[in-house]
Amino acid sequence: MSLSDGTIRWGILGTGFIADLQTRDLRENGFTVQAVGSRSLDSSKAFAEHHGIATAHGSYEDLAADPDVDVIYIATPHPMHHANALLALNAGKHVLVEKSFTMNAREAREVTEAAAGKGLVALEAMWTRFLPHMVRIREIIAAGTIGEVRKVVASHNQSLPTDPAHRLNDPALGGGALLDLGIYPISFAFDILGTPSAIRASASMTATGVDRQTAAIFDYDDGAQAVVDCELDAASANRAMVVGSKGWIDVEHTWYNPVPFTVHAVDGSVLERFDEPVNSRGMQFQAAEVERLVKSGETVGTILPPSESVAIMAAMDEIRRQIGLGYGADRA
């Protein structure tokens, strides 16, 4: 089933791995991908040919200026999100910005304020938020099925390239586990429990000076806690759990993808089993939210409002402060 009527025209800024995934999901689910832009015209043309895109631009500026583009998906590495999003917004384009949204809360605030000032959508591409299993989890919690939420536990650990020159290990490119992997469990904690009142974090660092693994505890005024962790050189089951006073929700491996979950009562009995396959990878749902906002004339949704993306970046700023991880963007 198509999630788009095809009337809104998308531009893809960047031609890397994540751009390929998002574009594939757009094309497979009825969205109109009109143009792509890269710093290399050859790269742009190759991407356009691969995905059947009409227009290939040899610069981000040309993509932003394209009158046949309504929304731009920002698919560049973290340190470029701020500048790329502002470029698109200043050209009058709505934006879907890859996570992490920016490098820090200051940059996030500048992007969201620019979008608000121009009446444009600036949505963080935290695709997990918009997946059917997450929609259902929020409904179950709101219905009181598991009682008062006491704890959220979520991990994102992967065995990724250890080459010091790789983007993930390079401080100049926003490397480290936190911004690439930790953003998922942190956003999940915000989704379920909101903004914490206090954060306690610790980490182990790589030889290049980025976090190899990071863990944090979020404390909330009502006594709830979130326990989140991430690692870039060791894999795990990557499950998530929401614990309530009347039961718990167990989200299977890998919880941030479209996966099943089970709701248990306190005695362990099964209250609900959710297993709803989705088309493609699932990145089309966040794009559908962008189009819904644009067509309705809204700029702020309820699933992931811009203010929450700023608050999430602020939480990661605090974690980085505690573990001693700084980036060039912090000095701007």
Side-chain angles (χ1 to χ4, degrees), residues 80-130:
M80 304 170 190
H81 290 177
H82 173 256
N84 294 160
L86 290 178
L87 172 69
L89 290 167
N90 287 332
K93 313 300 187 187
H94 306 280
V95 292
L96 176 63
V97 185
E98 255 312 318
K99 75 291 173 226
S100 62
F101 192 60
T102 52
M103 290 295 290
N104 53 41
R106 175 190 58 79
E107 288 188 347
R109 198 171 295 111
E110 289 177 2
V111 170
T112 58
E113 287 176 354
K118 295 178 179 296
L120 296 168
V121 174
L123 182 68
E124 180 183 358
M126 175 43 73
W127 66 297
T128 303
R129 288 278 185 113
F130 305 93

Side-chain angles (χ1 to χ4, degrees), residues 22-332:
Q22 178 69 74
T23 303
R24 189 182 312 156
D25 281 9
L26 290 171
R27 296 274 293 165
E28 290 176 356
N29 289 277
F31 295 81
T32 297
V33 183
Q34 177 66 33
V36 59
S38 171
R39 291 174 298 183
S40 160
L41 183 57
D42 288 343
S43 175
S44 186
K45 285 181 176 178
F47 190 93
E49 182 177 357
H50 178 69
H51 289 284
I53 299 172
T55 306
H57 294 292
S59 72
Y60 300 150
E61 290 78 10
D62 287 348
L63 175 66
D66 189 332
D68 294 326
V69 169
D70 305 304
V71 180
I72 292 181
Y73 168 61
I74 308 295
T76 46
H78 318 314
M80 304 170 190
H81 290 177
H82 173 256
N84 294 160
L86 290 178
L87 172 69
L89 290 167
N90 287 332
K93 313 300 187 187
H94 306 280
V95 292
L96 176 63
V97 185
E98 255 312 318
K99 75 291 173 226
S100 62
F101 192 60
T102 52
M103 290 295 290
N104 53 41
R106 175 190 58 79
E107 288 188 347
R109 198 171 295 111
E110 289 177 2
V111 170
T112 58
E113 287 176 354
K118 295 178 179 296
L120 296 168
V121 174
L123 182 68
E124 180 183 358
M126 175 43 73
W127 66 297
T128 303
R129 288 278 185 113
F130 305 93
L131 293 173
H133 76 293
M134 287 305 306
V135 173
R136 181 60 188 146
I137 285 171
R138 288 191 291 268
E139 291 172 348
I140 290 167
I141 293 170
T145 304
I146 63 168
E148 178 187 346
V149 177
R150 301 285 175 78
K151 187 184 298 181
V152 169
V153 182
S155 297
H156 190 181
N157 304 311
Q158 294 193 42
S159 182
L160 299 171
T162 57
D163 179 0
H166 192 280
R167 176 188 68 81
L168 287 167
N169 304 302
D170 186 349
L173 293 177
L178 183 64
L179 265 63
D180 256 279
L181 307 180
I183 179 65
Y184 282 91
I186 289 170
S187 186
F188 183 60
F190 269 77
D191 193 8
I192 305 302
L193 291 172
T195 302
S197 56
I199 297 173
R200 291 169 282 167
S202 65
S204 297
M205 311 302 281
T206 68
T208 59
V210 300
D211 64 311
R212 178 178 64 79
Q213 63 180 43
T214 295
I217 298 174
F218 291 178
D219 294 315
Y220 295 84
D221 289 336
D222 63 358
Q225 290 181 317
V227 181
V228 298
D229 68 272
C230 56
E231 180 161 357
L232 52 68
D233 65 352
S236 74
N238 291 330
R239 298 178 78 101
M241 186 166 51
V242 182
V243 180
S245 58
K246 296 180 180 179
W248 73 91
I249 303 171
D250 181 25
V251 193
E252 297 182 8
H253 169 83
T254 51
W255 67 266
Y256 43 85
N257 285 289
V259 296
F261 68 80
T262 305
V263 185
H264 298 270
V266 289
D267 62 1
S269 61
V270 174
L271 299 176
E272 178 176 333
R273 170 74 175 169
F274 181 94
D275 188 358
E276 182 180 307
V278 304
N279 294 328
S280 308
R281 185 172 187 255
M283 297 174 75
Q284 66 270 22
F285 294 100
Q286 62 185 359
E289 172 66 1
V290 173
E291 292 202 357
R292 185 193 69 79
L293 291 169
V294 171
K295 290 173 183 176
S296 68
E298 301 173 74
T299 58
V300 178
T302 58
I303 294 178
L304 184 53
S307 59
E308 190 166 326
S309 292
V310 174
I312 288 168
M313 291 310 309
M316 293 204 292
D317 287 353
E318 173 58 19
I319 291 172
R320 290 196 297 110
R321 185 192 67 79
Q322 292 187 26
I323 67 175
L325 175 58
Y327 295 118
D330 301 328
R331 299 186 293 272

Side-chain angles (χ1 to χ4, degrees), residues 1-8 10 26 29-32 288 291 295:
M1 183 179 70
S2 175
L3 292 176
S4 172
D5 63 11
T7 58
I8 290 177
W10 286 76
L26 290 171
N29 289 277
F31 295 81
T32 297
E291 292 202 357
K295 290 173 183 176

